[in-house]
Amino acid sequence: MQTTLLKGGRVIDPANGIDGIRDVLVKDGRIAAVGEVAGTPAAEGAEIIDCSGRLVLPGLIDTHSHVYQYVTGRFGLNPDMCGVHSGVTTLVDQGGASCMTLPGFRHYVAEPAESRVLAFLSAYLVGGLEGHFYPELYRPECADVDATVKSARANRDIVKGIKAHAELGGFARWGVDVMKKAARIGELTELPVYIHFGQLWPTPETGGRPVDPDSILTQVVDLLKPGDVLAHPFSRHPGGFVEQSGELHRLVKEAVAKGLKVDVGHGSHFSYKMAAKVLEAGVVPDTLGSDMHGYNTSVPAPAGTPDEHPDEEHLFAGTSRFSLVSAMVSLMALGLKLEQVVPMATSNAARLLGMSDQLGTLGVGREADISVLSDETGRWLLRDNEGTEVIAERMLQPLFCLRAGKRFDATAPILPVPKVA
Ligand SMILES: [Zn+2]
């Protein structure tokens, strides 16, 4: 197989404590050397790719994707569009597949994809059909603990966690019962449970019980174990990290101290105002996650699927192109450093998946999953779906990635075009 030399880029490999100008040599799909390799016998005959001025990172890991294409209706995107063609080598589908539909996910999505595709298995029998569009499919009777545990255990190579929701519309319908089942699945499988916070379903028009959005985190944190993940800390929807009063929920820091993790799950509910509040209060996410799907990106909808999604109301046209890398740019515009954001999409994400021994670093001998990004300074305008504008003074864009040594250029049509301020 081909030998490739990525020459002279800024290599950031948090797990190995590397941040500096290095060459990376790739041979037979694996990392053969990191250091000053150009001109040495090891690099003889290698295809040389000049990476000077570029970032050379461990293959990026998107901890929150939706790529059960077609089976989840309009919701699931093409995995390689979000993955290797957006500079991302590993995708974690959040709850698209269930115990009933995981075989299809493996056969039709994970196996044919060029990107590495993993799954957080849905806690519900139906999985994430149309992005959980129909709340009645997600009531407690529609979760089967034993069947889900069996499926997760039998598919440990691709199932790396469990997906659930702690959500106002659901709590108004059924209280905490579904969350209890999800937590039980997490305990029995010893896998992390990834919990969506922030309202997704409308509250029921009749028969619902009154729920204080600020009580949701309180009810859920007690059920969780260290390593479980609280998602969407920066959501503009009620029921998340920011209380109705506008303050950080008093339990967030307690939860983090207890060993719970925080994943951004960017999506289109991402709010710069909420993010600023949470970050100012000293809560820094562990992992990133793009949360792109068919309702928040500009891709053609399959015929006959719903026109819009309750989670995505008020979506402004023009902000519907994004990627894991543009989510990194969002966080940097809020004041986080590149050196803080890179681990979120590499080493921290690998740890969340229990795959630090395989993913998230550029260690010699590892499979050569490598993401190469441009890194420029200037002034760009970013805008969230509340209309809040911020200025990014640093712009990262994916150029290409190597997935097990094979090159893919970043040509996805959903990659945003930076807007100069
Ligand atoms: Zn999502």
Side-chain angles (χ1 to χ4, degrees):
M1 205 183 162
Q2 176 129 28
T3 305
T4 307
L5 182 71
L6 304 177
K7 188 169 177 291
R10 177 178 171 190
V11 171
I12 306 179
D13 180 1
N16 285 315
I18 293 174
D19 183 351
I21 306 301
R22 302 278 195 284
D23 305 325
V24 179
L25 183 70
V26 174
K27 242 179 204 170
D28 300 327
R30 295 195 171 266
I31 295 173
V34 178
E36 275 187 45
V37 188
T40 67
E44 221 162 274
E47 182 206 354
I48 296 175
I49 303 175
D50 182 11
C51 292
S52 46
R54 313 297 198 198
L55 299 177
V56 176
L57 308 177
L60 298 177
I61 301 168
D62 189 343
T63 49
H64 193 138
S65 69
H66 295 291
V67 295
Y68 202 169
Q69 195 176 18
Y70 304 123
V71 168
T72 53
R74 182 177 162 189
F75 194 58
L77 296 173
N78 179 271
D80 290 331
M81 179 179 70
C82 307
V84 289
H85 292 302
S86 290
V88 173
T89 56
T90 296
L91 299 166
V92 183
D93 182 88
Q94 280 295 342
S98 70
C99 59
M100 293 200 294
T101 63
L102 188 66
F105 183 82
R106 177 189 286 281
H107 188 76
Y108 295 112
V109 176
E111 285 178 359
E114 298 278 8
S115 317
R116 186 194 305 271
V117 181
L118 305 167
F120 270 40
L121 192 63
S122 178
Y124 322 99
L125 284 168
V126 297
L129 300 180
E130 289 297 5
H132 310 89
F133 189 82
Y134 301 99
E136 290 309 314
L137 297 175
Y138 300 97
R139 59 188 195 270
E141 305 77 55
C142 293
D144 184 323
V145 172
D146 293 342
T148 306
V149 168
K150 181 181 178 191
S151 169
R153 282 184 179 154
N155 294 277
R156 282 302 308 271
D157 58 332
I158 60 169
V159 174
K160 302 297 172 183
I162 304 298
K163 172 70 182 290
H165 296 78
E167 187 279 341
L168 197 54
F171 274 55
R173 287 177 175 82
W174 326 292
V176 77
D177 289 358
V178 196
M179 229 3 270
K180 282 184 178 158
K181 283 192 161 182
R184 183 76 184 132
I185 295 166
E187 268 166 39
L188 291 170
T189 54
E190 297 178 4
L191 287 171
V193 183
Y194 185 104
I195 304 114
H196 168 113
F197 283 90
Q199 184 160 24
L200 167 64
W201 295 307
T203 38
E205 277 162 30
T206 52
R209 57 186 96 177
V211 180
D212 170 8
D214 298 337
S215 75
I216 292 182
L217 198 69
T218 315
Q219 294 181 67
V220 171
V221 165
D222 271 351
L223 299 174
L224 301 179
K225 63 184 187 308
D228 287 349
V229 186
L230 311 175
H232 309 316
F234 306 149
S235 171
R236 63 184 149 86
H237 298 306
F241 276 34
V242 177
E243 291 192 332
Q244 298 300 95
S245 66
E247 300 297 308
L248 182 76
H249 195 291
R250 62 196 179 283
L251 263 189
V252 169
K253 288 194 174 170
E254 215 173 285
V256 170
K258 180 181 159 176
L260 297 179
K261 301 296 176 187
V262 177
D263 184 274
V264 172
H266 192 290
S268 49
H269 42 64
F270 180 96
S271 154
Y272 284 113
K273 284 183 188 157
M274 293 294 188
K277 272 181 193 161
V278 174
L279 292 171
E280 268 162 33
V283 177
V284 177
D286 298 282
T287 51
L288 196 43
S290 68
D291 197 9
M292 290 145 64
H293 52 69
Y295 288 96
N296 66 15
T297 49
S298 317
V299 293
T305 53
D307 295 326
E308 53 186 31
H309 190 278
D311 191 25
E312 306 307 338
E313 57 194 309
H314 316 306
L315 186 64
F316 282 84
T319 51
S320 48
R321 289 162 68 116
F322 62 119
S323 74
L324 182 64
V325 173
S326 66
M328 294 168 76
V329 172
S330 272
L331 293 202
M332 286 161 65
L334 283 159
L336 292 184
K337 293 192 175 77
L338 174 69
E339 295 79 3
Q340 289 175 288
V341 174
V342 169
M344 293 180 191
T346 59
S347 49
N348 290 1
R351 197 175 313 125
L352 166 67
L353 303 175
M355 297 178 77
S356 296
D357 57 341
Q358 298 165 62
L359 301 183
T361 100
L362 296 173
V364 172
R366 297 289 185 106
E367 207 162 25
D369 286 3
I370 305 173
S371 297
V372 178
L373 317 182
S374 63
D375 176 11
E376 291 171 85
T377 51
R379 283 174 68 80
W380 291 271
L381 187 69
L382 308 180
R383 184 180 181 177
D384 69 15
N385 287 318
E386 289 178 322
T388 308
E389 294 183 338
V390 299
I391 298 291
E393 294 184 337
R394 198 151 180 187
M395 181 55 63
L396 310 180
Q397 288 182 276
L399 296 173
F400 67 92
C401 66
L402 302 185
R403 164 75 188 102
K406 185 175 171 189
R407 177 175 173 156
F408 297 91
D409 291 324
T411 54
I414 47 165
L415 287 171
V417 180
K419 195 175 162 195
V420 174

